[in-house]
C-alpha cells in the first residue's frame, strides 16, 4: 500500500515543512517532512489500520485514522489547526 498526505491550512493552501508521522497496526511506522507543496508520500506500507498525524513548526496540527488495504494507493488531506 502507499500513502500520499497533503498538509494544508484551513483554507486549503499547502503548508510545507510539516512533520508527518504514521503508526500502523499490526505493524509499521513512517516519519518525514512535507515538501514545498505540502506533500508527503510513502510506499510499501503494511496493510492495516493507520494513525497519521502532522504538526507544523508553528504548532498547528491534525491527525486521522485510516485503513490501508494491500495494493491500495490512498490520498489524505490533513488540515492543520491551532491546538
Amino acid at each position: 500500500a502507499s500513502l500520499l498526505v497533503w498538509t494544508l491550512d484551513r483554507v486549503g493552501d499547502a503548508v510545507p515543512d510539516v512533520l508527518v508521522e504514521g503508526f500502523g497496526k499490526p505493524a509499521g511506522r513512517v516519519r518525514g517532512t512535507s515538501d514545498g507543496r505540502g506533500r508527503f508520500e510513502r510506499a510499501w506500507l503494511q496493510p492495516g489500520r493507520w494513525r497519521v498525524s502532522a504538526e507544523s513548526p508553528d504548532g498547528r496540527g491534525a491527525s486521522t485514522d485510516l485503513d490501508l488495504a494491500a495494493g491500495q494507493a490512498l490520498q489524505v488531506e490533513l488540515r492543520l489547526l491551532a491546538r
Side-chain angles (χ1 to χ4, degrees), residues 11-12 17-18 32-34 38 45-46 50 52 59-61 67 72 79 83:
V11 297
D17 303 318
V18 173
T33 305
S34 64
L45 300 178
Q46 291 269 344
W50 282 80
V52 179
R60 292 177 290 163
D67 292 306
Q72 182 180 20
R79 303 265 174 159
R83 292 187 175 190

Side-chain angles (χ1 to χ4, degrees):
S2 66
L3 177 65
L4 172 59
V5 177
W6 295 98
T7 55
L8 308 172
D9 65 13
R10 289 180 37 210
V11 297
D13 292 330
V15 180
D17 303 318
V18 173
L19 175 62
V20 178
E21 293 184 292
F23 298 93
K25 289 185 182 180
R29 179 172 188 232
V30 294
R31 180 181 169 107
T33 305
S34 64
D35 66 14
R37 297 181 299 154
R39 187 174 190 269
F40 171 84
E41 186 171 20
R42 289 294 184 270
W44 307 108
L45 300 178
Q46 291 269 344
R49 186 84 172 152
W50 282 80
R51 173 86 171 168
V52 179
S53 61
E55 186 169 344
S56 66
D58 65 3
R60 292 177 290 163
S63 62
T64 190
D65 294 317
L66 48 92
D67 292 306
L68 276 175
Q72 182 180 20
L74 186 63
Q75 288 191 47
V76 63
E77 293 181 355
L78 291 180
R79 303 265 174 159
L80 305 173
L81 303 174
R83 292 187 175 190

